[in-house]
Each structure stands twice: as structure tokens, then as C-alpha cells.
Amino acid sequence: MNETSISPVAASGCNAFARRMCRAVIGTCFTLALVQPVRAQGPALEGGTTQIPPAPDAPTFMSRTDLRMAAAALSTDDHRFKWDTHFGGDIDVVDYVCGRVRLVADYQAILGNEFRPFDPNQGNYVLEPSASLRVAGFEVAAVFHHESRHLSDRFKRFSIDWNVLGGRALKRVDLRTTTLEVEAGFGRVVSHTFADYKWVGDADVLVRRRLNDRMAMYARGRTVVYGVDGTVPRNKPTGGRGEIGVRLTGPAGAVELFAGVERMVDAYPLDRVSQKWPFGGFRLISR
């Protein structure tokens, strides 16, 4: 039997399930937003992926390890984009008080329902080492960013990847039960294959609010702009992601429930077309 597509009934069921999951997550986030904040003693809870930790009192090896796994249902009629999953980590290899060496790694698998209800069609990799200095309340980092994109269960022999060398500025502000983190970066694409990017600029804003000892809410917005080299006629591709969520923390880890909207640049590696969708999902995080 040739495997070319799933039945319309199965596809309709997957789409309906994705939409129900998005609505359920959004409803949960708004319900928990109505919970009255409680003043409590104890360590601060993080909500959203922590990027800017406070400096330790002394140099520390492996001062922070955030391992995470996430899955989000995408609400779109395009059969190539139904689920977005991530597996990765954000590690401070060494924090020398006046700065830190950090390593970010992520594997993204995108699933559709073209050939089966859960049909992986992309596998994308990010590897980003950086080294920073803390200066006058800011953190300034030199960053090397590698990204490569691959097809799953589909034929492609040529590479799609790019390497970026650039800088990043980070700022953290703590206000009682609320924390604000802002990050902005810019880099030059020093090598690339198939991709037509010349430079990349991005900005990220994360706001967290502690509700009690076990719960925190967060909102996060990110935008990214790619300069292009003109080999393909198009304007600068621009993407972004807005996300709200709640974090529930236990003794050994945490789970985040989140929902939002995303515009992904060059969503399918071969098309050079951006896609936009609402999403809802969960994230498991080590502690």
C-alpha cells in the first residue's frame, strides 16, 4: 500500500485536536492570571526560559543547567505544520562573577500530518556558545551562532545552514515579585549554504511575576530580522513570537503551560516563505 496521505477524517481529527489544545492552554493561562498574588518567603521562582541569572558570590563551574523539552500544537491549515517540538538546554559552563561562558543547544522537530497523523518533516539544530562580561549593570556577550535545517523522511542531499558571529547585550531588573529581562543582539553571517542571509538582528523581552511558592506567570515577546544578499528577490524577512504562560514548580522540576502567536521566517526550508500560526503547548524544565 502506497503511503501518500492520511485520510480526510484523520486529518480533520488532528486539526480539531490541535485547536482544542490551543484553546485549553489559553483558557488555563487566563484563569490562573486571576489568582491573587501571595507574598511568600523562599527562593524566587522563574517563569519562562531563564537567560540572565544574577552573578554568584564566587566563580562557579556549571552554575546553571536548564534542560527542557517542549511541544506545541499549531493551528494552521497547512498540513506540514501541526506540531512544533524542542529538546535542548541552556547551560552556564562557568560563571566567573564578572561574566560567564554559556552554551545553548536546541533540536527542533516539526511535525505535520501529510503522510500520517504525526509526520516529522523537519529536524533543525541550533548550537550557540558565548562569553560575556558584566559591565555597569549590563551583560555584554560575544556570540557564535550555528543553525542548520534538515528534512525528515524526505529527500534532500544539499546543506541548509548558516553561521553568525556577533554581539549581544542583556539586562535584568528585579522589582519585588516581578522580573524584567531584555536582550538585543546583532551579528554578521560569516558563512552560509543555500540560505541568503547577510546579517541577523533580534530582540527578546521577558516579564515574570511570582504568584506564590509554586506558581509564576510570564509573558515573552521576540522579534528577528534577517538581512539578505539579493540572490533571491525579496525584502528583509521578519519573524516574531509572542507567548504567555504559567509555570508550576515541583521539588525536582517545573512544567510551563503556554499559548501565543508566532511568525516563522522561511518556515519550510526549501520555500523561503514565512508562516504565521497561533499555538498552545507545554514545556518540561529541569530544576
Side-chain angles (χ1 to χ4, degrees):
M1 180 177 178
N2 293 331
E3 186 181 48
T4 57
S5 63
I6 65 172
S7 69
V9 174
S12 176
C14 291
N15 293 340
F17 176 76
R19 293 189 180 96
R20 286 197 299 270
M21 184 171 180
C22 289
R23 289 195 295 267
V25 172
I26 292 171
T28 300
C29 291
F30 277 106
T31 300
L32 291 170
L34 300 177
V35 176
Q36 180 67 27
V38 177
R39 294 186 180 274
Q41 300 298 321
L45 294 175
E46 305 294 348
T49 304
T50 302
Q51 292 187 320
I52 314 175
D57 296 329
T60 307
F61 176 68
M62 297 295 287
S63 59
R64 182 180 61 90
T65 302
D66 290 335
L67 304 179
R68 54 184 179 263
M69 177 182 71
L74 311 179
S75 182
T76 171
D77 293 330
D78 193 321
H79 56 70
R80 298 171 298 178
F81 305 100
K82 297 303 176 184
W83 295 92
D84 182 16
T85 65
H86 290 263
F87 308 86
D90 185 349
I91 301 170
D92 288 350
V93 180
V94 59
D95 194 315
Y96 36 90
V97 183
C98 63
R100 56 183 171 141
V101 174
R102 177 185 178 196
L103 177 63
V104 177
D106 183 74
Y107 172 72
Q108 177 190 35
I110 294 179
L111 293 78
N113 61 9
E114 185 178 6
F115 296 139
R116 57 192 71 88
F118 298 95
D119 177 26
N121 58 63
Q122 287 189 55
N124 305 318
Y125 298 85
V126 170
L127 184 63
E128 186 182 282
S130 64
S132 70
L133 289 174
R134 296 183 174 102
V135 180
F138 287 84
E139 186 176 0
V140 181
V143 180
F144 176 79
H145 177 96
H146 169 79
E147 192 161 346
S148 62
R149 305 192 63 183
H150 309 268
L151 299 186
S152 299
D153 294 340
R154 286 142 178 91
F155 183 78
K156 180 183 75 68
R157 284 189 173 177
F158 60 90
S159 298
I160 301 177
D161 57 61
W162 60 96
N163 295 318
V164 180
L165 188 60
R168 184 167 294 149
L170 308 93
K171 176 68 175 179
R172 172 178 173 139
V173 179
D174 293 298
L175 300 170
R176 294 187 179 179
T177 59
T178 302
T179 300
L180 170 67
E181 294 184 1
V182 180
E183 176 179 340
F186 182 85
R188 178 179 176 81
V189 177
V190 295
S191 65
H192 61 90
T193 306
F194 187 80
D196 60 340
Y197 309 144
K198 287 181 62 178
W199 53 262
V200 183
D202 61 78
D204 192 307
V205 178
L206 171 63
V207 180
R208 299 189 296 265
R209 181 170 177 82
R210 178 182 177 184
L211 300 179
N212 56 47
D213 279 344
R214 295 293 184 186
M215 186 182 301
M217 290 201 65
Y218 71 92
R220 186 171 193 172
R222 182 176 187 271
T223 185
V224 60
V225 181
Y226 293 87
V228 292
D229 59 17
T231 56
V232 178
R234 60 173 178 167
N235 296 324
K236 299 181 183 68
T238 302
R241 179 184 175 98
E243 177 182 323
I244 61 170
V246 59
R247 170 179 276 204
L248 306 174
T249 302
V255 59
E256 290 178 352
L257 304 176
F258 58 82
V261 179
E262 180 178 23
R263 178 181 173 86
M264 184 177 179
V265 172
D266 297 344
Y268 196 73
L270 305 181
D271 287 356
R272 293 193 172 106
V273 175
S274 299
Q275 294 265 14
K276 182 179 178 180
W277 47 64
F279 60 83
F282 69 92
R283 185 179 294 115
L284 302 178
I285 304 171
S286 65
R287 188 183 184 193

